[in-house]
Amino acid sequence: MPYVVTQSCCADASCVLACPVNCIHPAPGEPGFATAEMLYVDPKACVDCGACATACPVDAVKPHTKLTAGEQPFVALNAAYFDTVDPHLDRTPLALVPAKRPVEGPLRVAVVGAGPAGMYAADELLKHSGVTVDVFDRLPTPYGLVRAGVAPDHPTTRQVTTLFRHIEGERGFSYVLGVEVGKDIRHDDLMQRYGAVVYTVGAATDRTLGIEGEELPGSASATHFVAWYNGHPDHTEPPVALDSERAVVIGNGNVALDVARILATDPARLETTDIADHALEALRASMVREVVLLGRRGPEHAAFTLPELIGLAGRTDIDVVVEGELAVTDDKTALLAELAARPKDPARRRIVLRFHTSPVRLVGGDRVSGLEVSSGDVIEAGVVLRAIGYRGVPVPDLPFDEATGTVPNDHGRVAPGVYVAGWIKRGPSGFIGTNKTCAEETVDRIFDDLEAGLLTTPMRRDLPEHIDLRGWRAIDRLERETGAAQGRPRVKLTDRAALHAAATRTRRRGRRRAG
Ligand code: NAP
């Protein structure tokens, strides 16, 4: 069996396009693609050419001979997809590269938000001559959740930044970083300067439980915790003190699994990652030995994906305890049963999975001391993190659907000239690569409107002071150089002033050199 898709699959389908024998499924447009946890290589059809591995932006496709012990389960997982799901019998190479629309500029587009949806949208737009794209972000750094959300112990997932570096080097691409739309520049100002504005602002906040005690110190949202350990400049203070033996994480999604794993990881293992220095220090001093993960439904409904569970199962430094009876109904529950049966070592940190348990109220005086749950039990814990989903926030001057936390849109069009892509368009679900097809759909609407003559010609070009591509490259270089000296991919600057200084220092040096 030649090539195998593994855990960090981002599902952007680059491999599907590269495959000369159409053996990677589900492909875009096929049933199940939009909700697939990952893509799968058919072992019987693969010709071992390696084109998929070259195309994959996150190094998730590997020859079976190069798999680690922890990745071995992916061999059966890839094969099983073709035994049990739609057999995709037509093997005509897809060469799915969508026919390029004969659209040409001039068109000046503002993309607001430099995360994956914004980068994929820029890439799609810049395939057409005469189109220029300015990508805005309120932070001095781009890449959104790829920088501030992906767990630091998942470095291959972050490799999608190599693709983003390629996109930002394309002709017609510019950054306008450190500029907040709605504050430093208004929506109307953008409409005067661009023919089209695409909001790819993601889901900037989290859902709340609405239960008693949620605001107590010791209780926080996992999204803040994630932003803190990833060095987001708005979250430099620890959201909770890690001074108790047990932490509870409410929710059963991949974010819940990420924060539970980081809390249960031996800090020595994180020393070679790009985790924020302040978080590494706090985790070294952490007293947390046990993390209880609460799922309100059963294991068969757990929102965490099988690839992520396989990744956790491959970790020899963490014990996974599964409480309660377990009916084996699918691959996920089978793996949970296997984890439950593994011998435990009290010297290791542990993650306890408790299902069919809802939070009722947080208890405590001046800080959290426990969580009362639906069974009536109180789980003693000094830390309670809710990981029950992200939530979009209203975009100034755009309509907003409070129920879904999204901007109402028709396949990405809000109104002629105004568009959305990513989580603010479809809600907070899916993987990094899901944003590629999402952005392509939106860009199609922009070109529909351009062809119909509905886009206006910009009247102005002036912009507020900002960090451009050169400034970001200077920050990037400094972070990488500092990291290299410590055997880490980078050491993140987490302070806005330091980020601005890094961006401008090199520019000044450059000017001096030029003079
Ligand atoms: P999610 O996948 O939507 O999971 C949310 C979890 O919270 C679900 O288990 C849900 O349970 C639970 N929940 C919701 N309301 C609750 C309540 N009131 N009480 C108790 N539990 C509640 O969200 P997420 O974990 O934030 O992830 C967001 C997206 O990013 C997902 O698509 C995820 O796969 C993706 N992501 C991927 C990775 C990765 O690939 N490594 C990492 C992080 C995130 P119910 O199912 O019962 O509603």
Side-chain angles (χ1 to χ4, degrees), residues 7-10 37 145 149-151 154 157 207-211 222-223 226 250-258 261 294-298 301-305 307-308 357-359 386-390 423 426-432 434:
Q7 187 192 343
S8 53
C9 175
C10 72
E37 291 189 348
L145 283 180
V150 170
H154 281 169
T157 308
R207 298 180 58 219
T208 51
L209 289 159
I211 60 174
T223 58
V226 168
I250 301 168
N252 254 191
N254 280 336
V255 170
L257 216 55
D258 278 350
R261 200 181 59 252
L294 284 191
R296 62 178 170 180
R297 298 194 282 162
H301 295 118
F304 52 72
T305 54
E308 288 303 305
T357 306
S358 291
R386 57 178 184 278
I388 58 168
Y390 286 80
W423 280 3
R426 57 175 215 279
S429 68
F431 309 97
I432 294 167
T434 315

Side-chain angles (χ1 to χ4, degrees), residues 444-455:
D444 241 359
R445 297 291 80 73
I446 297 176
F447 288 144
D448 285 349
D449 291 349
L450 180 68
E451 284 177 329
L454 297 174
L455 304 185

